[in-house]
Amino acid sequence: MMDRRSFLKAGPGLGMTGLGIAGLAAPALSQGAAARTLRFVPQANLANFDPVWGTQYVVRNAAAMVWDTLYGVDAQLQPQRQMVESEEVSSDGLTWTFRLRPGLKFHDGEPVLAKDAVASLNRWAVRDPMGQMIRAIQNELVAVDDRTFRWSLKAPYPKMLLALAKNNAPCSFVMPERIAKTDPFQQITEYVGSGPFRFIREEWVPGAKAVFAKFNDYQPRSEPASWLAGGKQALVERVEWLVMPDPATAAAALQNGEVDWWENPINDLIPQLRRSRNILADVADPLGNIGALRMNHLHPPFNDVRARRAVLMAISQEDVLRALVGDDESMWKRLPSYFTPGTPIYSEAGGDLLKGPRNYEAAKKLLMESGYKGEPVVMLVAQDQPITKAQGDVTSEALKKIGMNVDYVATDWGTVGSRRAVKTPPSQGGWNIFFSWHAGADCINPAAYTAVRANGDGAWFGWPKSDEVEAKRDAWFAATSLDQEKAAMAELNKAAMEHVIYCPTGFFTFYTAWRRNVSGIVKGPLPFFWGVSKS
Amino acid sequence: MFAYALRRIVATIPVMAVVALFVFSLLYISPGDPAAVIAGDQATPEDVERIRASLGLDRPYLVRFGEWVWHIAQGDLGTSIFTNLPVSTMIAQRIEPTLSLMVITLILAVGIAVPMGVIAAWKQGTWIDRSVMGFAVLGFSVPVFVVGYLLAYVFALELDWLPVQGYTPFSRGIWPWFQNLILPAVALGGVYIALIARITRATMLEVLQQDYIRTARAKGVGQRGILFLHALKNAAVPIVTVIGIGVALLIGGAVVTESVFAIPGLGRLTVDAILRRDYPVIQGVILLFSFTYVLVNLVIDLLYTLFDPRIRY
C-alpha cells in the first residue's frame, strides 16, 4: 500500500519535478501588497502565544518577532546588548545594574520601563533553568528608576548576560508589567511587545494563520543585525504565517508562488525544490540538532551503567543518520559528544565508545555482565515524528543484535510526552527507552541543556543521577574565561559519557527553502524576519 | 409530521448525552497529556506537573465531567487549553471552509453520481455501464490524498489554473471562494460519487423490473420520463439514505482533504486538537459532528415522505 510519504518520494517518477514554473498562480494580493507581505510556512502550528508558559520552538520563533530581549545572542554566540543601553557589575560580582535604552515603546504606545523588565524577568526566572539558578541566589530584583533596574545576588553568577541573551526557550522577553505579572504557569491573554513586529490578534486562526505587522515605532539599534542582536530592521510591512501540515502542499505552494519561505522542508523534497529555478534551499541552522536515545536510569536494565554502555557500543550513528536525513553526508555527522560540533568549547572527551566500527559481541557481553536476563525493554517510538521514528526503527534492530528483548511500542508524540514522565516500572506502564532530539543551539554549553543534567529526580526524563556530572556542570558555570570553559566542558563530556546520561544518536541539520525574490534570510537557530525583504 | 420532527429533535438530547459521556470518557482514559505538549520537550517533570495542576487536569474524573456537562448545558463548550480561545470561537473560525467544502462536494457528487447511476442502469451490460462501474471502483479505491496531489499537480502546478492550497472566505467574492474549493471538492467527491452511483444503479435496476414500469412503457411514456419520473422517484429512498450516510464519509474525508489543500476547516482543527490533546476542542468538535449527523438523519427521514407517500409518521 502506498502511503503519503512514499507518494511524495515518488514525485520525481510522476514527473512532479523540474516544474519549470511558466507562470505563477494568481496570488490573492496585488503586486504592491504582495511585495510588502512575506508569506511564511512555519515548522509547526502556532497554537498558543505565551513564550514563557509554552516553550515550544514555534512559539519562541514567533515571540522573537513581537517581544524584544534585554540582550541578544549574535552569530558568534556572544551576548550583546539589545534593549539595554549599559550595564554595571560590582567588583564582587554580586550586584548587576542595567540601564534601558531611551525611547523604547510597547506596541500599545506605552514606554518600556524598568518595572516592565523586572516583572518580565521575575516571570521568566520561574520557568527558565538559568533563571531558576539566578533566583536561587537572588537578594532582590528592583526597578531603581524608569530606565534602571538592579539585580543583587548572594553569590556571583558569571553567566548573567548569557542567561539574558540566550535563544533557548524560554527567552527573557520583556512584556508590560501588567501582562508579566501573570502566573508563569498560566497563559497570558494580551500579546503586547516592543519588538519589530506587532501580533495581529484579530487575524490569528490557530492552526491555520498568524499575522504580524511592522511596528513603526520600533527603535532598532545602530549595529548591523546578527541573530537576536543588532538593529532589527523590519523590511516588509506584514508577515503571514501560513500553517501547512502537509509537506507536499507546502512544496507545491512554494513552487507556485503562493508562499515565499518554507522554514523546514523535508529532505525528501529538496531535490524537487532545487530543480525549480525560482527556489533556493540551504541549511537552515548550522547548529543543527542532536538525536537522543533516552534511557530510564530507575529500572533494569538501564539502572546499571554497563547496560547503558552496551547501548553506546551497539548504536551505529551512521545508520540512524542515513535513515533520518539521507545519504547527503554534508547534512549530518557522527557525534561522540553531547555537545554541538563546531562550536568554540566543543569536546569529544570520553566519547570513544561511539567511535569506530560497532562491536556487537563486546556489547552483548557487557549487557550480560550487567545482569540482563532478557526482560522486555519497553521502547516508546513516536510514529508521527519522522525524527523519532527513524531513530527507533534503526536502534531497535541494533539492540536486538546484542540480545535485547525490545518491546517496540509504536505510538504518537503526545503519548510519549505523557508516558515518559511515568516513573513506575516498565511492566506497570513505565518505559525503558524513548527518543527525542535537541536543537544544537541548546547544546552549545550546559547553560540551558536540561537533558545533560544528572540530578536524579530533578533531571530530565530518565532521571540520571551522578554527583560527578553535576559537579563538572557547576564548574562550567563558575568558569570566567574561555580556557576555563573549555576545560570544564571536556570534563563534563567525559563524566557524562562515562555515566551515559543518554545516548546521542548523531548530529544532523535540515534545510530551509525560499523563493528567489526573497533576500536577507540568515542561517541560524530560528527564522529571523528582520532584514528580510521581498522584491 | 411536525410532531414527529419535534419528537426526533427531543430524542437527540439523550443521544447527545451518550455521545458526550462516551467522548469525555474516551479522552480521559486515552494516553497523552496536554501539559507535556505545552511545557515543551525540554521541560522538567515538575514544570509539566504544575501546568497540569493549573489546567485542572489533576482533578478526579467525576469533577471534570460534571463541570464540563454543566457548562455544556449552559451552551458553553469550554476554552481551548492551548489557544485560550473559546471553543465556540474556534469552531466559528473554522466552520465556513468545512461547510463550503461539504456543500460543494455534495452538489457535485449528487449532480454527477445520480445521472451516472441512472444511465448505467438503463444501459446495463454495455460499455457505458462498465465504464461507470469501473469509475466507481476507482473512486472507492484511490485514496483522497492521492487524488488531491494529482489534481494539484495537473491543475495548479502544470496548468496554473487553480491555486494549490488555502481558502478564501465567501465574503471576498464567489469566484475566489469557489476556485479554492474546486480541487478539494473533486478530490473529496470521488468516493461519494462512487457510492451514490453504485446504489443508484442497483436500485434503478430493481425498479426498472417492476410491473408499473412495463405498464408505463406500454402507455407510451418516453425513456426519459420512465427513467427520471417513474423509476428514479421510486428508487429515491435508498439513494437518499446513502446520501445521508455519506455525510459521515464527507466529515472523515474532510480531515484529509483539508490537510492536503491546507484549508483551515474543522477537519484540521480536529486533527490538531487530537495530536495536542486539546480536550475541550476535541469534545466540542465531536459533539458538533454528532449533532450534525443526527440532524442529517432526521432530514433524510423526513425526505422519505416526499418520495414515498406510503411513508407516514
Side-chain angles (χ1 to χ4, degrees):
Chain A
M1 195 178 87
M2 180 180 261
D3 62 14
R4 296 167 70 172
R5 195 173 163 88
S6 310
F7 186 80
L8 291 179
K9 292 170 82 170
L14 292 168
M16 295 174 83
T17 59
L19 306 164
I21 306 297
L24 306 179
L29 302 163
S30 68
Q31 279 195 334
R36 295 191 300 271
T37 301
L38 184 74
R39 294 159 303 177
F40 172 77
V41 181
Q43 55 172 269
N45 166 28
L46 185 68
N48 68 80
F49 199 32
D50 182 341
V52 173
W53 180 75
T55 58
Q56 302 94 333
Y57 291 129
V58 68
V59 179
R60 183 270 316 261
N61 297 353
M65 303 169 73
V66 173
W67 287 283
D68 216 344
T69 47
L70 297 168
Y71 291 81
V73 73
D74 67 10
Q76 283 70 49
L77 309 175
Q78 295 303 311
Q80 304 292 349
R81 292 172 190 145
Q82 185 52 230
M83 296 172 78
V84 161
E85 180 182 71
S86 62
E87 72 283 316
E88 268 181 40
V89 58
S90 61
S91 56
D92 57 5
L94 297 181
T95 304
W96 290 82
T97 306
F98 302 92
R99 188 159 177 78
L100 296 173
R101 286 160 55 209
L104 298 176
K105 275 188 186 172
F106 284 115
H107 299 158
D108 58 5
E110 293 296 315
V112 177
L113 302 176
K115 65 178 185 177
D116 301 311
V118 167
S120 300
L121 289 174
N122 275 327
R123 185 167 191 255
W124 162 81
V126 174
R127 298 294 308 276
D128 182 73
M130 293 184 85
Q132 288 163 0
M133 292 175 76
I134 301 172
R135 261 169 62 92
I137 55 170
Q138 172 181 312
N139 264 333
E140 63 170 3
L141 172 59
V142 289
V144 177
D145 58 38
D146 278 356
R147 284 178 52 204
T148 311
F149 65 97
R150 186 176 59 234
W151 211 338
S152 60
L153 309 173
K154 295 170 186 160
Y157 190 74
K159 302 291 187 284
M160 173 64 85
L161 299 188
L162 179 63
L164 301 180
K166 68 181 179 62
N167 55 36
N168 325 103
C171 301
S172 57
F173 294 115
V174 175
M175 304 175 176
E177 184 188 36
R178 69 176 188 282
I179 299 172
K181 279 189 167 172
T182 307
D183 180 332
F185 291 92
Q186 299 280 348
Q187 197 176 167
I188 60 171
T189 52
E190 277 187 88
Y191 309 109
V192 177
S194 64
F197 292 93
R198 292 179 295 117
F199 183 58
I200 310 299
R201 184 176 184 163
E202 310 81 68
E203 295 193 50
W204 183 32
V205 182
K209 188 178 185 183
V211 178
F212 307 85
K214 180 180 178 179
F215 177 43
N216 291 323
D217 286 340
Y218 182 70
Q219 304 283 328
R221 295 188 70 92
S222 55
E223 303 94 333
S226 177
W227 286 12
L228 289 172
K232 299 174 180 175
Q233 301 273 3
L235 301 179
V236 290
E237 291 296 320
R238 186 177 155 96
V239 179
E240 291 181 356
W241 282 31
L242 303 170
V243 180
M244 292 191 195
D246 191 300
T249 308
L254 186 67
Q255 288 173 297
N256 220 22
E258 293 174 35
V259 296
D260 305 306
W261 182 8
W262 181 12
E263 184 181 0
N264 62 339
I266 59 174
N267 286 17
D268 295 345
L269 291 172
I270 291 299
Q272 175 187 334
L273 292 174
R274 281 195 163 145
R275 281 188 206 112
S276 169
R277 61 189 167 82
N278 292 316
I279 293 173
L280 298 168
D282 201 352
V283 171
D285 175 14
L287 296 176
N289 302 274
I290 293 174
L293 181 159
R294 196 83 190 173
M295 291 169 270
N296 190 337
H297 292 228
L298 299 183
H299 303 291
F302 299 125
N303 59 352
D304 189 307
V305 70
R306 288 171 294 184
R308 300 198 296 272
R309 285 184 189 147
V311 171
L312 281 195
M313 293 164 75
I315 295 300
S316 165
Q317 291 187 340
E318 181 173 342
D319 290 349
V320 172
L321 293 162
R322 284 191 192 282
L324 178 54
V325 190
D327 291 330
D328 181 355
E329 295 187 19
S330 67
M331 297 299 288
W332 54 262
K333 61 175 74 170
R334 294 173 202 85
L335 184 69
S337 172
Y338 288 108
F339 296 96
T340 308
T343 51
I345 54 175
Y346 173 72
S347 171
E348 293 184 359
D352 294 341
L353 284 182
L354 286 167
K355 295 176 181 172
R358 303 294 79 197
N359 186 341
Y360 296 113
E361 284 310 310
K364 194 172 189 173
K365 188 164 171 280
L366 194 59
L367 182 63
M368 293 303 131
E369 285 172 15
S370 74
Y372 178 68
K373 294 184 180 63
E375 57 267 39
V377 170
V378 177
M379 178 187 277
L380 308 180
V381 187
Q383 305 291 296
D384 54 341
Q385 299 285 335
I387 297 176
T388 56
K389 185 175 188 312
Q391 290 183 88
D393 290 351
V394 175
T395 57
S396 65
E397 291 306 310
L399 297 185
K400 283 175 190 168
K401 281 184 189 168
I402 63 170
M404 216 171 255
N405 177 15
V406 175
D407 178 8
Y408 184 107
V409 180
T411 184
D412 72 334
W413 186 241
T415 304
V416 171
S418 61
R419 190 167 170 183
R420 69 185 180 181
V422 175
K423 289 185 176 176
T424 55
S427 58
Q428 295 168 29
W431 57 277
N432 292 112
I433 290 173
F434 79 89
F435 298 91
S436 184
W437 71 99
H438 310 295
D442 295 356
C443 308
I444 294 165
N445 55 46
Y449 193 178
T450 49
V452 84
R453 294 209 64 175
N455 52 336
D457 277 350
W460 206 53
F461 307 98
W463 308 282
K465 177 146 181 54
S466 164
D467 293 340
E468 187 191 2
V469 170
E470 284 294 290
K472 304 298 182 193
R473 180 176 174 274
D474 291 343
W476 179 83
F477 275 98
T480 53
S481 70
L482 188 62
D483 286 342
Q484 283 180 15
E485 285 195 2
K486 279 183 181 173
M489 278 282 280
E491 291 287 308
L492 172 57
N493 197 62
K494 186 163 179 277
M497 281 289 176
E498 275 173 10
H499 194 74
V500 195
I501 300 299
Y502 74 88
C503 173
T505 58
F507 172 83
F508 54 94
T509 55
F510 289 120
Y511 284 98
T512 191
W514 63 95
R515 289 190 65 82
R516 199 173 280 278
N517 63 336
V518 175
S519 56
I521 290 175
V522 170
K523 291 181 186 181
L526 60 149
F528 302 108
F529 292 88
W530 39 91
V532 175
S533 62
K534 189 178 158 192
S535 57
Chain B
M1 193 168 78
F2 178 74
Y4 171 78
L6 201 64
R7 275 202 310 276
R8 286 286 302 272
I9 289 170
V10 172
T12 59
I13 295 171
V15 171
M16 295 310 295
V18 171
V19 170
L21 178 68
F22 185 72
V23 169
F24 190 91
S25 305
L26 204 63
L27 288 174
Y28 186 82
I29 60 172
S30 66
D33 183 358
V37 181
I38 290 162
D41 196 38
Q42 307 303 314
T44 63
E46 286 69 31
D47 286 343
V48 174
E49 202 49 52
R50 284 197 64 176
I51 290 174
R52 187 181 296 120
S54 76
L55 294 171
L57 298 173
D58 56 345
R59 293 174 302 162
Y61 169 84
L62 283 177
V63 173
R64 286 169 53 191
F65 182 64
E67 188 181 85
W68 181 63
V69 169
W70 175 244
H71 282 113
I72 294 281
Q74 295 172 310
D76 176 9
L77 292 174
T79 303
S80 162
I81 290 173
F82 285 82
T83 64
N84 222 11
L85 295 171
V87 173
S88 51
T89 302
M90 294 180 73
I91 289 175
Q93 283 178 331
R94 304 296 198 100
I95 201 163
E96 187 194 311
T98 302
L99 262 184
S100 301
L101 178 62
M102 289 176 71
V103 168
I104 298 276
T105 306
L106 198 64
I107 293 170
L108 182 83
V110 173
I112 292 174
V114 172
M116 270 173 67
V118 170
I119 292 166
W122 174 37
K123 299 287 183 186
Q124 187 195 8
T126 66
W127 67 268
I128 296 175
D129 181 26
R130 281 192 289 274
S131 302
V132 169
M133 287 305 98
F135 176 83
V137 170
L138 203 68
F140 273 124
S141 314
V142 184
V144 171
F145 70 86
V146 173
V147 179
Y149 288 142
L150 288 173
L151 289 173
Y153 169 64
V154 174
F155 294 99
L157 286 176
E158 281 294 286
L159 299 174
D160 196 21
W161 290 353
L162 295 164
V164 171
Q165 53 81 42
Y167 175 76
T168 307
F170 188 76
S171 56
R172 289 200 198 158
I174 292 178
W175 174 241
W177 168 77
F178 188 61
Q179 70 170 354
N180 269 117
L181 291 170
I182 295 172
L183 296 182
V186 173
L188 178 58
V191 179
Y192 208 35
I193 291 171
L195 180 70
I196 299 171
R198 282 186 73 96
I199 201 74
T200 304
R201 176 184 178 273
T203 316
M204 285 291 289
L205 282 177
E206 198 176 312
V207 171
L208 288 171
Q209 308 300 319
Q210 299 294 317
D211 290 343
Y212 63 84
I213 297 294
R214 198 180 309 118
T215 306
R217 286 189 205 280
K219 283 164 65 183
V221 178
Q223 191 63 43
R224 186 180 301 172
I226 286 173
L227 287 175
F228 289 97
L229 292 179
H230 292 268
L232 184 57
K233 190 175 178 191
N234 284 287
V237 169
I239 297 171
V240 169
T241 305
V242 165
I243 291 172
I245 292 168
V247 170
L249 270 181
L250 284 187
I251 291 172
V255 172
V256 177
T257 311
E258 287 176 7
S259 293
V260 168
F261 291 97
I263 296 170
L266 289 173
R268 269 179 63 195
L269 178 66
T270 312
V271 173
D272 290 345
I274 290 169
L275 289 175
R276 289 197 305 265
R277 308 294 196 269
D278 196 345
Y279 299 139
V281 176
I282 302 170
Q283 289 155 356
V285 173
I286 291 179
L287 278 184
L288 176 71
F289 283 153
S290 305
F291 186 65
T292 305
Y293 199 55
V294 168
L295 275 187
V296 166
N297 274 290
L298 172 60
V299 170
I300 297 297
D301 284 351
L302 297 179
L303 280 177
Y304 289 165
T305 60
L306 292 181
F307 296 115
D308 190 343
R310 291 169 299 181
I311 298 174
R312 285 281 179 271
Y313 296 117

